[in-house]
Every structure is written in structure tokens, then in C-alpha cells.
Amino acid sequence: MQEKKIIAMLGGGQLGLMFTEKAQMMGEKVLILDPDPDCPAGKIADKFINADYSNIEALKIIIDNCDVCTTEFENIPYKTLEILEKKIKVFPNSNALRISQNRTLEKKFLNKLNIPIAEYYEINSKDQLELLKNINNWPYILKTSTFGYDGKGQTIVNNFNELKDSYSEQDSTSFVLEEKVSLKKEVSQVAACYNDGIVFLPISENIHINNILHKSLVPASIPQDSIKIIKDITEKISSNLSYKGILCIEFFIDNNDKILVNEIAPRTHNSGHYSIEGCNISQFEHQVKILTNQKPIHSTLISSSVMLNLLGDLWAKGSPDFSEANKKNIFLHLYNKSGAKNGRKMGHITIMEDTLIASNNKAEELFKKLN
């Protein structure tokens, strides 16, 4: 029987694109499955299947051609992974995806492990909603339990009347109401989870605009004891999910320096893009190594780095002038997407200088020129 050599990736967006680029550089072939015929990764994949993630014929092609499969984002039906993992290796596993794609399940999972999270309430009915009228520590954030990212499905509510109004405006029937944390910082830990242990990438400090990541600063300006707590929590989550693959945990650090888990992302992450140039081994190279059963290699930071997101808003008046991004220590990545929309991630720029202050100053100067 001929050995199956192609890696399957469910999802063909920018994360799939950057994974495919790195895999091909490492001599691997990639099959992309995506319902979008114009998806970025499908344009460069060795094999592209344009079909829904639940399409049985498409999944049969993956089983026949691949012995390992991964995912690009968490909103792929976990039942698709259940079908595939009966026949081939799938990283991350279906249970990890099932938990991380549902905020209610995710919070119950974290509570069970005694991992600190923001105070929250489940809302699955109008009766449950009415039980919350005596809350007095507003504001809270109403979040749909599923299909939320980049601020989608989230509304800040300052009192019970605003909560009722926001609840009635939503299509969903399942929510979490989460206390709005008094934030000092938001950071994220990307970890490469191998059979032989975990490799932690440097922690990034994340700045958001309108709930979408604006930039990531690396290394994060946090003390060593906070770094240890973050790594320990990440390892605990990975272990209890029997996780293999790339995992990103987003953390809140509040004004009292308490560390809380915000979200589990079972994939490569926007805040880890700096690692392409900023580390000796990027998050995408680790992803390829894990899927091809290679030994882990430690990721070290080459230089202070700032990753700047490029959103579709920059294209409002036509294609931006990226001539300033062709200079030394500045690295431009465009995602080959057809149509720029406000809030849509179109690319990123990584700036690497001797100090984090210098990198950040250059990033902000560059961002102003692009606007």
C-alpha cells in the first residue's frame, strides 16, 4: 500500500495559507478543504477541495489521501473531526474543538480545573435571564456561546435593562454573561504541544482596537512569576484536553495583577505571527513538525518584535502604499484575499528592532503613514 504523504488542513484562510507556505518550504504537501472557492490557502495548496466541512465525499477524499489532519479555526463542526479521527490522526482532537468552540463548555471546563476566569452566568432561556436582575457589579459583556471571534457576538451591557434589550436583539438562544474585567494587560501564550512535551513561544502583549487585535508586542512586559503562572495554566489546559498541536491561551491581567483565562484557541494565532521572523522556530513550523511526528525544538526570540495587523479599513481609498514596509527589519505579509472589508484581516507587518520601545515606535509611525 502506498504511504499517504499529504497533510490535510480544514480551513483555507490566512492561517491555512501561512501553514501551507511553511509546510511546502519543509518539503510537505498540503490538502486544503474550504467551502470558499476563493480562499487564500486553496490558491497555493497541492490539492484543494471546495466543499462544506461536513461533506462526506470530501472527508472520504481526505481519508484516502492523508494520514493526518489539522484545523485552521475552531468553528469547524467537531463532528467532522469525530468522523475523521476514526480513520486518520487528527490534531487537535474533536473533544478539544468541541469545548473551545462553545464558551459555556469552555468556562465549565476551566472551572472544573480551578483555573481563574471572570465571573459569569449562563443564559439559555428568558427565565434564566430574569434571575440576573439583582446583579450589582455592572458592567458585564453578553457573549453568544458559539461563533464569536474578533468581538462578534459580544455586547457590553451596563445594567439589567440593557441586558434585556441586547438579549432580545440576538439570534442566538445560548449566552454567557461575563463580568467586564478592569484590565491592566491582555497577553497570549502560544504553545506547541508535541508527544514529547510542550514548547512555549515567547508571550505576547496584545493591544486591541474595536475588539480586533491591532498589534502584539514581544516580549510581553510582565514579571517572571506571571510568566510561570501562565505557562503552568497552559500546560494544565493542554494536559486535560489530551492536546496535540498548536494551542493559544488568551489571558487577562487585571488591575490587581490577577491572571485570568479569557479564551482557548485550538490553533495557530494572530498574536503568534511575530514568530515567523521573530523566532528561530515559528508557530507554523512547529505545527508542521507536530503533524509529521518530528522532535520538538525550543523556540527562542531573535529580537524584540511588534506585529501590526492590517485590516480592510486601510483599503478604503484604494490599495495602501507599502513602500515603507520594504525597509530593513520590517516584514510585510499579505494574505491574498480578494475584497477588503472593514475589520477583515488582510495582512500583517512585523517590525524587529534592538529594543521593544524602538520596535513599537516604528510600528506606530508606519501605521500612521498607512492610514
Side-chain angles (χ1 to χ4, degrees):
M1 181 178 171
Q2 187 177 4
E3 190 178 355
K4 296 184 282 188
K5 286 282 190 181
I6 304 176
I7 300 170
M9 166 67 80
L10 305 180
Q14 67 266 18
L15 299 177
L17 174 75
M18 288 181 274
F19 167 79
T20 302
E21 288 171 341
K22 176 52 71 173
Q24 290 172 340
M25 285 171 60
M26 295 169 70
E28 303 295 336
K29 291 184 177 180
V30 180
L31 178 155
I32 297 288
L33 169 63
D34 196 295
D36 179 6
D38 196 38
C39 67
K43 296 169 186 174
I44 66 165
D46 298 281
K47 188 174 182 65
F48 175 50
I49 305 172
N50 177 217
D52 186 80
Y53 298 121
S54 302
N55 184 293
I56 295 300
E57 288 304 311
L59 300 185
K60 187 175 185 306
I61 292 171
I62 289 175
I63 291 165
D64 289 344
N65 287 273
C66 309
D67 60 9
V68 65
C69 178
T70 189
T71 55
E72 186 211 32
F73 68 117
E74 53 267 46
N75 287 332
I76 289 162
Y78 71 87
K79 290 187 179 296
T80 292
L81 270 63
E82 287 181 339
I83 293 167
L84 290 171
E85 63 195 1
K86 289 175 183 173
K87 299 288 186 179
I88 63 175
K89 292 175 284 185
V90 179
F91 309 127
N93 62 63
S94 59
N95 187 51
L97 202 70
R98 181 182 69 86
I99 290 170
S100 59
Q101 68 184 206
N102 185 302
R103 287 193 174 100
T104 303
L105 294 180
E106 184 177 86
K107 289 184 181 298
K108 286 180 176 177
F109 168 76
L110 293 168
N111 262 343
K112 191 175 178 183
L113 296 177
N114 294 315
I115 290 172
I117 58 174
E119 181 180 356
Y120 81 99
Y121 302 93
E122 282 182 60
I123 306 175
N124 297 308
S125 68
K126 287 187 177 179
D127 288 342
Q128 281 184 313
L129 178 71
E130 288 299 323
L131 293 174
L132 304 177
K133 61 174 61 172
N134 294 322
I135 287 175
N136 54 26
N137 57 333
W138 303 97
Y140 274 68
I141 306 173
L142 183 67
K143 300 181 176 182
T144 56
S145 289
T146 55
F147 297 107
Y149 61 95
D150 289 343
K152 293 178 176 65
Q154 300 187 23
T155 311
I156 295 173
V157 288
N158 297 294
N159 52 57
F160 184 66
N161 286 334
E162 286 187 15
L163 171 59
K164 284 201 299 185
D165 290 344
S166 183
Y167 176 87
S168 64
E169 289 165 5
Q170 304 276 357
D171 290 333
S172 179
T173 57
S174 178
F175 300 87
V176 295
L177 183 68
E178 180 182 298
E179 183 183 6
K180 191 173 188 295
V181 176
S182 297
L183 273 181
K184 187 174 188 178
K185 292 180 190 290
E186 291 186 47
V187 302
S188 56
Q189 173 69 76
V190 174
C193 306
Y194 289 78
N195 275 336
D196 300 331
I198 296 182
V199 173
F200 295 101
L201 276 70
I203 295 169
S204 67
E205 184 174 333
N206 303 320
I207 312 295
H208 292 78
I209 296 177
N210 297 326
N211 291 315
I212 301 176
L213 184 65
H214 169 50
K215 62 184 177 181
S216 292
L217 293 75
V218 189
S221 302
I222 56 175
Q224 281 300 316
D225 59 342
S226 294
I227 292 172
K228 183 179 188 312
I229 290 168
I230 285 167
K231 287 183 175 179
D232 288 348
I233 289 173
T234 302
E235 191 156 12
K236 191 174 188 178
I237 289 170
S238 170
S239 173
N240 281 274
L241 288 174
S242 302
Y243 200 91
K244 187 171 175 184
I246 304 298
L247 177 67
C248 178
I249 311 295
E250 298 177 29
F251 292 88
F252 291 149
I253 302 178
D254 72 10
N255 285 328
N256 296 316
D257 291 322
K258 186 176 181 182
I259 295 169
L260 308 166
V261 169
N262 175 32
E263 277 185 0
I264 301 170
R267 52 175 169 82
T268 53
H269 199 263
N270 199 166
S271 65
H273 291 348
Y274 76 88
S275 65
I276 297 171
E277 288 84 22
C279 291
N280 60 325
I281 309 288
S282 74
Q283 61 174 344
F284 297 104
E285 185 169 346
H286 280 300
Q287 192 176 23
V288 177
K289 285 178 174 292
I290 291 165
L291 292 166
T292 53
N293 205 29
Q294 297 183 43
K295 293 289 181 184
I297 299 174
H298 186 65
S299 272
T300 55
L301 191 64
I302 295 167
S303 165
S304 299
S305 305
V306 173
M307 189 284 302
L308 191 63
N309 252 345
L310 302 174
L311 302 182
D313 313 48
L314 294 175
W315 276 255
K317 298 174 184 175
S319 294
D321 178 6
F322 289 116
S323 56
E324 291 290 320
N326 288 326
K327 297 182 178 177
K328 187 181 177 186
N329 300 331
I330 300 175
F331 304 91
L332 172 67
H333 295 261
L334 294 176
Y335 301 153
N336 204 16
K337 291 184 178 179
S338 301
K341 302 173 190 169
N342 285 356
R344 190 182 195 196
K345 293 170 184 172
M346 300 296 290
H348 74 267
I349 296 173
T350 301
I351 298 96
M352 298 168 61
E353 297 288 348
D354 292 338
T355 67
L356 190 57
I357 290 172
S359 298
N360 194 33
N361 287 343
K362 180 66 69 70
E364 283 308 299
E365 179 187 320
L366 189 55
F367 186 66
K368 284 175 185 171
K369 287 179 180 176
L370 289 172
N371 274 277

